[in-house]
Amino acid sequence: MKITKVVVSACVSCLAAGALSAAVIEWHGFRASSTPNAFGTATVASSVRDSAIPHVEHRHVNTVAAAPIPLPQGRDAFLMHDASSHGVDERGTTPIGANQDLLVAGLRSDATQEAAVRQQASGSAHYVGSESCQKCHAAIYERWKKTPMANVVRDPKTHPDAIIPDLNTNDIARFTVDQVAFVYGSKWKQRYFTKIGDDYYPLPAQWDIGNKKWMKYHVPDTGADWWTAFYPSDNMQRPTGPTCDGCHSVNYDIHTKQVTEWNVGCERCHGPGSEHAAHPTRTNILNPSGMDAVASNDTCIQCHSQGQPRNGLIEGKAYDWPVGYRVGLHLADFWKLEDGTLGQTDFLHFADGTAHKNRMQGNDFVQSVMYRHGVTCASCHDVHGTDNDAQLRKPADKLCLDCHGPTSPNGPYTATLEEHTHHKDGSPGSQCVACHMPRIETQGVPGSFVSSHTFRFITPAMTDKYKMPNPCTSCHTDKSTAWASKELSSWKTTSPWRVAP
């Protein structure tokens, strides 16, 4: 009987405590904009929460705390405003209810928080070089070692096969192999740097790989790169530290002129890795794939763009790369993309704003509908290395169709690919990149071009008006723009307003 009374008494006490707790909650309330106090709501809320967590899980710790995410600044703030008219949020990602479901949006938000925590954790880390990554990431490391990223700059003393041509055939400006400290490039052109003191300087001749001939190498004093106004015309007075080396290395120090390593190593994209190498966890290394779209793309845009430092000259010198930026920070705080004048073709831009020269993929991409909807460089490219051109994750004709297959809500709105392209399936003209990413951006040597990244279709009429190449007559070289416009006008599956006057 006594036991029954004790049990009843205990139950009554619990009910009374529960009622009191409910009254406190009802009186105080939970507000998203306020922080619970330690003795009232916080205690009740944590008790309710903890009661729902299995006992075995209480010992586990959530390493991704609610880290504050800084508000957009600079270009990000502009994108935040611009995004409002395109159905995307301030990070360039599609909000809930706009072509993506709640789960994806939630995962992306968690990834952003996690990336912020990692950035905070990396504050005490220092650079250790890509070889420190090899032990745990052997397969990725071996793929990366074969990429252009890992071989942009090579020392002929350690890589005797680095120099492609016979230097004895150089009739432009002769130099010997002993004068070459570094070789730059192996796909379109090859340039040669010599070392004087702590600086490197470009020798005045380059090798045109495609045409197998020597060419003069000298950046024009006017009408070309902005930084030439701040340096003498002589190549031997234009050090590559301010103009090149910041993007061709990891952790270039503008004062000591030393680097952690040459080439685009792991830490160029993942941040300083000492803590991760010593204690490997996901929380002490940066991963652009886990960042929001703006930050992820900035990892690539830092070097694949033409721009100028946000604050102008740095210690009296013109730097052609974003000094001070590292992955995880806001690139727009350090770097301003070059402006173009619509309707005018110049050294950097075609008249419609498309890039005119290479190393401007970022300038192109930020204009695109892809960028506005949260697509990232890593959506298409794997810089760790693939067997496809440009380190694409799949061959181009298959990659685009993952998101833009016939009947896809993303378009094209046709039953088959042939209905959209009006070219036979499998032919060069049926490849998405043929029309939407034409190779029109010069590499600086005759006949060498890279793809546009605006994803806009350039019409034959634009060729007539702006004197810029279009994909139709660039392929059908024996045809006129009038012919191409007439053909496009007959395509009933495509809006005439987009393809022809």
Side-chain angles (χ1 to χ4, degrees):
M1 193 68 173
K2 286 185 177 181
I3 294 176
T4 302
K5 287 183 177 181
V6 170
V7 172
V8 171
S9 177
C11 290
V12 171
S13 298
C14 289
L15 289 172
L20 179 61
S21 298
V24 171
I25 294 173
E26 178 67 22
W27 170 73
H28 188 277
F30 286 103
R31 295 178 177 82
S33 60
S34 62
T35 302
N37 65 72
F39 298 99
T41 309
T43 301
V44 175
S46 62
S47 298
V48 174
R49 179 204 62 196
D50 291 346
S51 68
I53 301 175
H55 178 72
V56 69
E57 294 297 328
H58 277 268
R59 69 176 184 271
H60 291 193
V61 177
N62 179 12
T63 56
V64 184
I69 302 173
L71 291 174
Q73 298 179 10
R75 182 170 59 86
D76 292 358
F78 168 78
L79 288 171
M80 186 174 183
H81 169 75
D82 182 59
S84 63
S85 63
H86 297 285
V88 296
D89 67 13
E90 69 274 12
R91 295 188 300 275
T93 55
T94 308
I96 299 170
N99 301 327
Q100 294 202 19
D101 59 24
L102 178 61
L103 176 61
V104 173
L107 289 174
R108 183 160 289 179
S109 177
D110 288 345
T112 301
Q113 288 188 340
E114 188 170 353
V117 173
R118 291 175 189 167
Q119 174 59 30
Q120 291 176 351
S122 69
S124 59
H126 59 271
Y127 292 90
V128 292
S130 297
E131 288 187 2
S132 299
C133 309
Q134 183 177 12
K135 181 180 178 181
C136 296
H137 304 282
I140 291 176
Y141 182 86
E142 289 306 315
R143 282 196 288 132
W144 165 78
K145 283 289 287 183
K146 299 174 185 177
T147 66
M149 292 286 192
N151 295 281
V152 170
V153 177
R154 291 192 291 172
D155 182 348
K157 297 179 181 62
T158 55
H159 295 86
D161 62 336
I163 298 178
I164 296 174
D166 180 353
L167 296 185
N168 292 320
T169 63
N170 176 11
D171 56 358
I172 301 293
R174 298 187 67 85
F175 53 83
T176 66
V177 66
D178 292 334
Q179 291 176 271
V180 180
F182 279 135
V183 170
Y184 164 70
S186 60
K187 187 172 182 179
W188 292 287
K189 56 188 177 286
Q190 189 167 78
R191 292 170 180 166
Y192 310 91
F193 299 163
T194 192
K195 189 174 185 181
I196 302 175
D198 293 330
D199 287 309
Y200 296 88
Y201 298 86
L203 291 166
Q206 63 180 334
W207 177 250
D208 177 348
I209 296 173
N211 296 302
K212 295 181 172 57
K213 67 177 184 179
W214 287 97
M215 295 179 59
K216 182 180 179 181
Y217 177 60
H218 176 261
V219 179
D221 298 338
T222 58
D225 292 298
W226 68 275
W227 54 262
T228 57
F230 300 94
Y231 292 93
S233 181
D234 182 8
N235 278 16
M236 293 300 105
Q237 296 186 63
R238 293 178 170 180
T240 62
T243 58
C244 306
D245 297 346
C247 282
H248 297 165
S249 67
V250 175
N251 192 32
Y252 181 90
D253 189 312
I254 65 172
H255 299 114
T256 66
K257 303 174 185 176
Q258 299 299 307
V259 302
T260 298
E261 67 178 305
W262 290 102
N263 294 304
V264 184
C266 305
E267 292 165 299
R268 184 82 205 186
C269 301
H270 293 284
S274 60
E275 291 188 4
H276 183 70
H279 308 287
T281 73
R282 292 185 176 184
T283 60
N284 60 13
I285 195 68
L286 291 166
N287 186 348
S289 294
M291 299 176 182
D292 62 70
V294 171
S296 178
N297 283 317
D298 281 352
T299 305
C300 304
I301 292 174
Q302 63 170 312
C303 289
H304 288 271
S305 65
Q306 289 285 346
Q308 299 182 31
R310 175 68 65 180
N311 295 321
L313 300 184
I314 299 172
E315 299 178 3
K317 291 184 179 179
Y319 284 84
D320 201 28
W321 50 276
V323 176
Y325 169 79
R326 72 177 188 184
V327 178
L329 301 178
H330 290 282
L331 180 60
D333 292 341
F334 302 86
W335 192 239
K336 179 182 179 182
L337 297 180
E338 290 280 15
D339 292 327
T341 302
L342 291 178
Q344 177 179 312
T345 296
D346 56 27
F347 176 69
L348 295 173
H349 298 93
F350 284 109
D352 74 332
T354 300
H356 191 201
K357 69 183 294 291
N358 185 35
R359 215 196 85 188
M360 293 186 67
Q361 292 89 345
N363 302 68
D364 271 356
F365 190 42
V366 298
Q367 304 176 47
S368 72
V369 67
M370 299 285 195
Y371 182 89
R372 292 199 298 270
H373 283 278
V375 175
T376 69
C377 304
S379 299
C380 300
H381 300 274
D382 181 357
V383 294
H384 297 128
T386 73
D387 293 330
N388 302 311
D389 182 53
Q391 312 306 315
L392 290 174
R393 294 185 178 278
K394 293 181 180 181
D397 59 336
K398 294 180 174 61
L399 181 65
C400 302
L401 296 180
D402 283 349
C403 296
H404 294 281
T407 72
S408 163
N410 299 317
Y413 307 112
T414 56
T416 67
L417 184 64
E418 285 189 29
E419 284 184 65
H420 175 68
T421 66
H422 294 260
H423 288 75
K424 186 177 180 180
D425 189 21
S427 69
S430 72
Q431 293 192 10
C432 309
V433 295
C435 293
H436 293 281
M437 299 185 70
R439 293 180 178 270
I440 61 173
E441 301 178 4
T442 178
Q443 268 288 344
V445 291
S448 296
F449 299 91
V450 293
S451 294
S452 161
H453 278 66
T454 64
F455 302 97
R456 291 194 294 260
F457 175 68
I458 301 170
T459 67
M462 293 174 70
T463 299
D464 292 336
K465 187 173 184 178
Y466 299 122
K467 311 305 178 187
M468 60 185 297
N470 73 82
C472 299
T473 55
S474 292
C475 183
H476 298 278
T477 55
D478 60 329
K479 303 293 186 180
S480 67
T481 54
W483 168 86
S485 291
K486 184 177 179 181
E487 286 293 314
L488 289 171
S489 296
S490 70
W491 292 9
K492 303 306 180 185
T493 58
T494 306
S495 167
W497 306 114
R498 295 192 61 232
V499 297

